[in-house]
Amino acid sequence: MNQAEQVHKAPLNLMDSRPKTPLFRFDRYRDIDLFIKFEGANPSLCLKTRSAVNILRKMHARNELSSEKTVIDASSGSFGGALAWAAGIYGYKCTIVGSEKTVPEASALITSLGAEIIKVGSVTRHGYEYIVDLIAANPEQWAYTDQLNNPDNAGAYLDLGRENHEQLPNVVAVVASAGTGGSLCGVARHFKSEKPDTLI
């Protein structure tokens, strides 16, 4: 079986047919029901599973991945774990560049999924600078997912917007914390196209 066939048959396809992550009503405020989406039910235990899978699928479609290349990105934790999981499912080597502040639990998750973690500097930006230098020195070695600048990051969360809308057709507002901002952008795009009066 060649690499393309392996990717086609990979368990990543389960992302397409898995049950929607659950939505729980957790409070009521001024006659408004408040719900929370449990993205910890995703395969890599977090929201960023959606982004990592989508980015790698799109890179595969553009022939930007190969068994000779190592998938790489900088992450403070959750995306690193998700990318390590997705790369492992695809069968690619993976390196995550974290900072000295990366918590032990995040490092343990990344390495337990078969990826290497390199700690550089005190913030994620230092990791990005380090990756730019690595790629400049040996561009054929790396497949850079570049989550902060990759439109396939936000694109991954259109499905999350659709899921939320299907589960709560009468939603009036979406509230989210923003890390890279990709999840909020993708969800907002869905609601602004399908239900423009939704507050974000």
Short mmCIF file of all heavy atoms in Angstrom, two decimals, residues 115-152:
data_model
loop_
_atom_site.label_atom_id
_atom_site.label_comp_id
_atom_site.label_asym_id
_atom_site.label_seq_id
_atom_site.Cartn_x
_atom_site.Cartn_y
_atom_site.Cartn_z
N ALA A 115 5.84 12.13 19.08
CA ALA A 115 6.49 13.32 18.52
C ALA A 115 7.67 13.74 19.40
O ALA A 115 7.74 13.40 20.58
CB ALA A 115 5.50 14.46 18.40
N GLU A 116 8.56 14.49 18.80
CA GLU A 116 9.68 15.09 19.54
C GLU A 116 9.26 16.48 19.98
O GLU A 116 8.54 17.17 19.26
CB GLU A 116 10.90 15.20 18.61
CG GLU A 116 12.08 15.91 19.23
CD GLU A 116 13.20 16.21 18.24
OE1 GLU A 116 12.94 16.23 17.01
OE2 GLU A 116 14.33 16.42 18.69
N ILE A 117 9.68 16.89 21.16
CA ILE A 117 9.45 18.26 21.58
C ILE A 117 10.79 18.93 21.84
O ILE A 117 11.68 18.35 22.47
CB ILE A 117 8.51 18.36 22.80
CG1 ILE A 117 8.22 19.84 23.12
CG2 ILE A 117 9.07 17.63 24.01
CD1 ILE A 117 7.05 20.06 24.05
N ILE A 118 10.94 20.13 21.29
CA ILE A 118 12.13 20.95 21.49
C ILE A 118 11.67 22.21 22.20
O ILE A 118 10.71 22.85 21.77
CB ILE A 118 12.80 21.33 20.15
CG1 ILE A 118 13.21 20.07 19.38
CG2 ILE A 118 13.99 22.25 20.37
CD1 ILE A 118 13.65 20.35 17.95
N LYS A 119 12.33 22.58 23.28
CA LYS A 119 11.93 23.78 24.01
C LYS A 119 12.91 24.91 23.72
O LYS A 119 14.11 24.78 23.90
CB LYS A 119 11.85 23.48 25.50
CG LYS A 119 10.74 22.50 25.83
CD LYS A 119 10.55 22.30 27.31
CE LYS A 119 9.41 21.32 27.58
NZ LYS A 119 9.20 21.09 29.02
N VAL A 120 12.33 26.03 23.25
CA VAL A 120 13.12 27.17 22.82
C VAL A 120 12.51 28.45 23.38
O VAL A 120 11.32 28.71 23.19
CB VAL A 120 13.17 27.27 21.28
CG1 VAL A 120 13.90 28.53 20.84
CG2 VAL A 120 13.82 26.04 20.68
N GLY A 121 13.29 29.25 24.08
CA GLY A 121 12.84 30.56 24.52
C GLY A 121 11.73 30.50 25.56
O GLY A 121 11.42 29.46 26.13
N SER A 122 11.09 31.65 25.77
CA SER A 122 10.10 31.77 26.84
C SER A 122 8.67 31.95 26.33
O SER A 122 7.73 31.87 27.11
CB SER A 122 10.46 32.95 27.75
OG SER A 122 10.53 34.16 27.00
N VAL A 123 8.50 32.21 25.01
CA VAL A 123 7.16 32.35 24.43
C VAL A 123 7.12 31.63 23.09
O VAL A 123 8.16 31.34 22.49
CB VAL A 123 6.77 33.84 24.23
CG1 VAL A 123 6.63 34.55 25.57
CG2 VAL A 123 7.78 34.56 23.35
N THR A 124 5.91 31.34 22.60
CA THR A 124 5.75 30.58 21.36
C THR A 124 6.40 31.28 20.18
O THR A 124 6.91 30.62 19.27
CB THR A 124 4.25 30.34 21.09
OG1 THR A 124 3.67 29.70 22.23
CG2 THR A 124 4.05 29.46 19.87
N ARG A 125 6.41 32.60 20.18
CA ARG A 125 7.03 33.34 19.06
C ARG A 125 8.49 32.94 18.88
O ARG A 125 8.98 32.87 17.74
CB ARG A 125 6.93 34.85 19.33
CG ARG A 125 7.60 35.71 18.26
CD ARG A 125 7.38 37.18 18.53
NE ARG A 125 7.79 37.59 19.86
CZ ARG A 125 9.05 37.86 20.20
NH1 ARG A 125 10.02 37.76 19.31
NH2 ARG A 125 9.33 38.24 21.44
N HIS A 126 9.19 32.67 19.97
CA HIS A 126 10.59 32.24 19.86
C HIS A 126 10.68 30.91 19.10
O HIS A 126 11.62 30.67 18.34
CB HIS A 126 11.22 32.10 21.24
CG HIS A 126 11.31 33.39 21.98
ND1 HIS A 126 11.28 33.47 23.36
CD2 HIS A 126 11.40 34.68 21.54
CE1 HIS A 126 11.37 34.73 23.73
NE2 HIS A 126 11.44 35.48 22.64
N GLY A 127 9.67 30.05 19.29
CA GLY A 127 9.63 28.79 18.56
C GLY A 127 9.45 29.02 17.07
O GLY A 127 10.08 28.33 16.25
N TYR A 128 8.62 29.97 16.70
CA TYR A 128 8.42 30.27 15.28
C TYR A 128 9.72 30.79 14.65
O TYR A 128 10.07 30.42 13.52
CB TYR A 128 7.29 31.27 15.10
CG TYR A 128 5.94 30.62 15.15
CD1 TYR A 128 5.22 30.53 16.33
CD2 TYR A 128 5.40 30.02 14.01
CE1 TYR A 128 3.99 29.89 16.39
CE2 TYR A 128 4.18 29.37 14.05
CZ TYR A 128 3.48 29.31 15.24
OH TYR A 128 2.28 28.66 15.29
N GLU A 129 10.43 31.63 15.37
CA GLU A 129 11.70 32.14 14.85
C GLU A 129 12.70 31.00 14.67
O GLU A 129 13.44 30.95 13.68
CB GLU A 129 12.24 33.20 15.81
CG GLU A 129 11.37 34.46 15.84
CD GLU A 129 11.69 35.38 17.01
OE1 GLU A 129 12.53 35.00 17.87
OE2 GLU A 129 11.10 36.47 17.08
N TYR A 130 12.71 30.07 15.61
CA TYR A 130 13.60 28.91 15.54
C TYR A 130 13.25 28.05 14.33
O TYR A 130 14.15 27.59 13.60
CB TYR A 130 13.45 28.11 16.84
CG TYR A 130 14.27 26.86 16.93
CD1 TYR A 130 15.62 26.90 17.28
CD2 TYR A 130 13.69 25.61 16.70
CE1 TYR A 130 16.37 25.74 17.38
CE2 TYR A 130 14.44 24.44 16.80
CZ TYR A 130 15.77 24.51 17.15
OH TYR A 130 16.52 23.36 17.26
N ILE A 131 11.96 27.84 14.07
CA ILE A 131 11.53 27.03 12.93
C ILE A 131 11.93 27.69 11.61
O ILE A 131 12.36 27.00 10.68
CB ILE A 131 10.00 26.79 12.98
CG1 ILE A 131 9.67 25.83 14.13
CG2 ILE A 131 9.48 26.24 11.65
CD1 ILE A 131 8.19 25.70 14.42
N VAL A 132 11.77 28.99 11.52
CA VAL A 132 12.17 29.70 10.29
C VAL A 132 13.64 29.43 9.98
O VAL A 132 14.02 29.19 8.83
CB VAL A 132 11.90 31.21 10.43
CG1 VAL A 132 12.58 31.99 9.31
CG2 VAL A 132 10.40 31.48 10.43
N ASP A 133 14.49 29.44 11.01
CA ASP A 133 15.91 29.16 10.82
C ASP A 133 16.15 27.70 10.40
O ASP A 133 16.98 27.42 9.54
CB ASP A 133 16.69 29.46 12.10
CG ASP A 133 16.76 30.96 12.40
OD1 ASP A 133 16.55 31.76 11.46
OD2 ASP A 133 17.03 31.32 13.56
N LEU A 134 15.41 26.77 11.01
CA LEU A 134 15.54 25.36 10.63
C LEU A 134 15.20 25.15 9.16
O LEU A 134 15.91 24.44 8.44
CB LEU A 134 14.61 24.49 11.49
CG LEU A 134 14.99 24.17 12.92
CD1 LEU A 134 13.91 23.27 13.54
CD2 LEU A 134 16.35 23.48 13.00
N ILE A 135 14.11 25.76 8.74
CA ILE A 135 13.66 25.58 7.36
C ILE A 135 14.63 26.22 6.38
O ILE A 135 14.92 25.66 5.32
CB ILE A 135 12.23 26.14 7.18
CG1 ILE A 135 11.25 25.29 7.99
CG2 ILE A 135 11.83 26.17 5.71
CD1 ILE A 135 9.86 25.88 8.08
N ALA A 136 15.16 27.38 6.74
CA ALA A 136 16.13 28.05 5.88
C ALA A 136 17.37 27.18 5.69
O ALA A 136 17.95 27.13 4.60
CB ALA A 136 16.51 29.40 6.47
N ALA A 137 17.76 26.47 6.74
CA ALA A 137 18.96 25.65 6.68
C ALA A 137 18.74 24.34 5.92
O ALA A 137 19.65 23.83 5.26
CB ALA A 137 19.45 25.33 8.10
N ASN A 138 17.51 23.80 5.98
CA ASN A 138 17.25 22.51 5.35
C ASN A 138 15.77 22.41 4.96
O ASN A 138 14.99 21.70 5.62
CB ASN A 138 17.64 21.37 6.29
CG ASN A 138 17.69 20.02 5.59
OD1 ASN A 138 17.29 19.90 4.43
ND2 ASN A 138 18.17 19.01 6.30
N PRO A 139 15.35 23.10 3.91
CA PRO A 139 13.93 23.18 3.58
C PRO A 139 13.29 21.84 3.22
O PRO A 139 12.09 21.66 3.39
CB PRO A 139 13.89 24.15 2.39
CG PRO A 139 15.28 24.16 1.85
CD PRO A 139 16.18 23.92 3.01
N GLU A 140 14.08 20.89 2.72
CA GLU A 140 13.52 19.60 2.30
C GLU A 140 13.20 18.69 3.48
O GLU A 140 12.52 17.67 3.32
CB GLU A 140 14.50 18.89 1.35
CG GLU A 140 14.75 19.65 0.07
CD GLU A 140 13.46 19.98 -0.67
OE1 GLU A 140 12.63 19.05 -0.83
OE2 GLU A 140 13.28 21.13 -1.08
N GLN A 141 13.67 19.06 4.67
CA GLN A 141 13.47 18.19 5.83
C GLN A 141 12.12 18.41 6.51
O GLN A 141 11.61 17.53 7.19
CB GLN A 141 14.59 18.42 6.85
CG GLN A 141 14.49 17.53 8.08
CD GLN A 141 15.62 17.76 9.07
OE1 GLN A 141 16.63 18.39 8.74
NE2 GLN A 141 15.47 17.25 10.28
N TRP A 142 11.52 19.61 6.29
CA TRP A 142 10.39 20.01 7.12
C TRP A 142 9.11 20.25 6.34
O TRP A 142 9.13 20.78 5.23
CB TRP A 142 10.74 21.29 7.90
CG TRP A 142 12.01 21.16 8.68
CD1 TRP A 142 13.23 21.70 8.35
CD2 TRP A 142 12.20 20.44 9.89
NE1 TRP A 142 14.16 21.36 9.29
CE2 TRP A 142 13.56 20.59 10.26
CE3 TRP A 142 11.36 19.69 10.72
CZ2 TRP A 142 14.09 20.01 11.40
CZ3 TRP A 142 11.87 19.12 11.87
CH2 TRP A 142 13.23 19.27 12.20
N ALA A 143 7.98 19.90 6.96
CA ALA A 143 6.65 20.25 6.46
C ALA A 143 6.02 21.13 7.54
O ALA A 143 5.56 20.63 8.57
CB ALA A 143 5.81 19.00 6.21
N TYR A 144 6.02 22.42 7.32
CA TYR A 144 5.66 23.41 8.34
C TYR A 144 4.17 23.70 8.26
O TYR A 144 3.67 24.21 7.26
CB TYR A 144 6.48 24.67 8.08
CG TYR A 144 6.31 25.80 9.06
CD1 TYR A 144 5.88 25.60 10.37
CD2 TYR A 144 6.62 27.10 8.66
CE1 TYR A 144 5.75 26.65 11.25
CE2 TYR A 144 6.50 28.17 9.54
CZ TYR A 144 6.06 27.93 10.83
OH TYR A 144 5.93 28.98 11.70
N THR A 145 3.44 23.40 9.35
CA THR A 145 1.99 23.62 9.35
C THR A 145 1.61 25.07 9.64
O THR A 145 0.52 25.51 9.26
CB THR A 145 1.30 22.68 10.35
OG1 THR A 145 1.90 22.81 11.63
CG2 THR A 145 1.40 21.23 9.90
N ASP A 146 2.44 25.81 10.32
CA ASP A 146 2.30 27.26 10.52
C ASP A 146 0.87 27.67 10.91
O ASP A 146 0.22 28.46 10.23
CB ASP A 146 2.72 27.99 9.24
CG ASP A 146 2.90 29.49 9.45
OD1 ASP A 146 2.95 29.94 10.61
OD2 ASP A 146 2.99 30.22 8.44
N GLN A 147 0.39 27.12 12.03
CA GLN A 147 -1.02 27.33 12.41
C GLN A 147 -1.42 28.80 12.53
O GLN A 147 -2.55 29.16 12.20
CB GLN A 147 -1.34 26.61 13.72
CG GLN A 147 -0.60 27.15 14.94
CD GLN A 147 -1.29 26.81 16.26
OE1 GLN A 147 -2.52 26.74 16.33
NE2 GLN A 147 -0.51 26.60 17.30
N LEU A 148 -0.51 29.67 12.96
CA LEU A 148 -0.90 31.07 13.18
C LEU A 148 -1.18 31.81 11.87
O LEU A 148 -1.94 32.78 11.87
CB LEU A 148 0.19 31.81 13.96
CG LEU A 148 0.35 31.44 15.44
CD1 LEU A 148 1.38 32.33 16.10
CD2 LEU A 148 -0.98 31.53 16.19
N ASN A 149 -0.57 31.38 10.79
CA ASN A 149 -0.73 32.07 9.51
C ASN A 149 -1.42 31.22 8.45
O ASN A 149 -1.50 31.63 7.30
CB ASN A 149 0.64 32.52 8.98
CG ASN A 149 1.34 33.46 9.94
OD1 ASN A 149 0.85 34.54 10.21
ND2 ASN A 149 2.47 33.03 10.49
N ASN A 150 -1.91 30.06 8.84
CA ASN A 150 -2.46 29.11 7.87
C ASN A 150 -3.99 29.26 7.80
O ASN A 150 -4.68 29.02 8.79
CB ASN A 150 -2.09 27.68 8.30
CG ASN A 150 -2.35 26.67 7.22
OD1 ASN A 150 -3.26 26.82 6.42
ND2 ASN A 150 -1.56 25.61 7.21
N PRO A 151 -4.54 29.63 6.64
CA PRO A 151 -6.00 29.79 6.54
C PRO A 151 -6.76 28.49 6.77
O PRO A 151 -7.95 28.51 7.10
CB PRO A 151 -6.21 30.31 5.11
CG PRO A 151 -4.96 29.95 4.37
CD PRO A 151 -3.86 29.97 5.38
N ASP A 152 -6.09 27.35 6.64
CA ASP A 152 -6.74 26.07 6.89
C ASP A 152 -6.98 25.85 8.39
O ASP A 152 -7.72 24.93 8.77
CB ASP A 152 -5.93 24.92 6.32
CG ASP A 152 -5.84 24.99 4.80
OD1 ASP A 152 -6.82 25.44 4.18
OD2 ASP A 152 -4.79 24.62 4.24
#
